[in-house]
Amino acid sequence: MAKPLPYPLQKEIFTRFRDAEPEPEGELEHVNVYTLVVAVALSAQATDAGVNKATRALFAIADTPQKMLDLGEEGLTEHIKTIGLFRNKAKNVMKLSRILVEEYGGEVPSSRAALEGLPGVGRKTANVVLNMWFRYPAQAVDTHIFRVGNRTRIAPGKDVVAVERALEDNVPAEFAQHAHHWLILHGRYTCVARKPKCPACLIRDLCPYEEKTQ
């Protein structure tokens, strides 16, 4: 496995990301921490745009665990049927809503272990919620970050957990809060999977990727 880029290069890369977009934000629409949990859980194997289209009307009527339970699984399914794996996701949202009501007084916990204990909430979802809502510098690794981390050697790793740890170990502390957002956006719009847009890349001169496009 390749070694991560040295600290001076890491600092320069993230300085450029910060200069270009000082306050990056996630693209999933939500109105509170509960709707953030639901939106991220629904986004697995789906696009943020597709989730947003489905949840705008949903969150207008069900923005708390109790309201979601009152809506019922059939009502929820009707709202999210355009999202992949919607039936299984609907079951998980209802289960996690019930747990939040019965075990947490309707509040979303701020502990990774507690979040990961909710149905349909994995490590990535927990890290997104910890980062975006609770302002903890957690690194939520998706396919974009996995690709960018390995291509650029910002955070090389053979799996998502290894990349997450590499980010935690190598991203300069001053950039840790926003690092995963910068990398997601970079992977989504510039360092794309099939034909990366290297000529438009902010960090082209610092990136060791051998198959750069002209």
Side-chain angles (χ1 to χ4, degrees), residues 80-212:
I80 66 170
K81 62 186 179 183
T82 57
I83 300 175
L85 307 176
F86 67 94
R87 294 191 188 281
N88 190 53
K89 290 177 180 178
K91 292 182 186 300
N92 283 333
V93 169
M94 299 310 292
K95 289 177 183 176
L96 74 84
S97 298
R98 188 165 301 282
I99 289 172
L100 290 175
V101 168
E102 294 180 352
E103 298 183 19
Y104 296 98
E107 300 293 325
V108 174
S110 59
S111 137
R112 178 186 279 119
L115 287 167
E116 287 191 61
L118 298 172
V121 176
R123 188 176 184 86
K124 187 192 84 169
T125 299
N127 281 344
V128 170
V129 174
L130 289 171
N131 181 286
M132 290 181 63
W133 194 265
F134 296 109
R135 310 302 293 174
Y136 180 79
Q139 307 300 330
V141 178
D142 66 356
T143 55
H144 297 300
I145 292 183
F146 184 80
R147 177 176 66 254
V148 173
N150 278 288
R151 272 185 183 169
T152 62
R153 288 193 13 230
I154 290 171
K158 66 181 187 300
D159 54 40
V160 294
V161 174
V163 171
E164 179 185 328
R165 288 175 178 161
L167 287 171
E168 291 174 345
D169 289 344
N170 294 287
V171 173
E174 65 189 287
F175 303 109
Q177 180 63 48
H178 293 314
H180 95 276
H181 277 132
W182 283 317
L183 294 174
I184 286 173
L185 294 171
H186 190 63
R188 186 171 289 167
Y189 297 111
T190 303
C191 196
V192 295
R194 294 188 178 179
K195 191 176 180 182
K197 302 173 184 177
C198 299
C201 178
L202 282 173
I203 61 169
R204 177 185 173 89
D205 58 314
L206 305 176
C207 175
Y209 184 52
E210 295 180 356
E211 299 174 39
K212 289 178 185 173

Side-chain angles (χ1 to χ4, degrees), residues 8-117:
L9 290 182
Q10 298 270 8
K11 185 169 184 177
E12 175 62 23
I13 284 171
F14 284 101
T15 297
R16 293 184 190 183
F17 285 148
R18 182 180 62 189
D19 289 347
E21 191 157 8
E23 293 290 333
E25 295 183 355
E27 297 182 328
L28 283 173
E29 297 174 7
H30 57 282
V31 296
N32 55 32
V33 63
Y34 169 70
T35 56
L36 176 61
V37 171
V38 173
V40 181
L42 293 176
S43 72
Q45 295 180 285
T47 65
D48 288 0
V51 172
N52 290 340
K53 187 175 180 180
T55 56
R56 285 179 193 127
L58 172 65
F59 293 158
I61 59 172
D63 60 354
T64 69
Q66 187 59 57
K67 288 180 182 177
M68 192 68 75
L69 293 175
D70 293 342
L71 178 63
E73 188 174 324
E74 288 188 13
L76 170 58
T77 300
E78 189 63 27
H79 278 88
I80 66 170
K81 62 186 179 183
T82 57
I83 300 175
L85 307 176
F86 67 94
R87 294 191 188 281
N88 190 53
K89 290 177 180 178
K91 292 182 186 300
N92 283 333
V93 169
M94 299 310 292
K95 289 177 183 176
L96 74 84
S97 298
R98 188 165 301 282
I99 289 172
L100 290 175
V101 168
E102 294 180 352
E103 298 183 19
Y104 296 98
E107 300 293 325
V108 174
S110 59
S111 137
R112 178 186 279 119
L115 287 167
E116 287 191 61

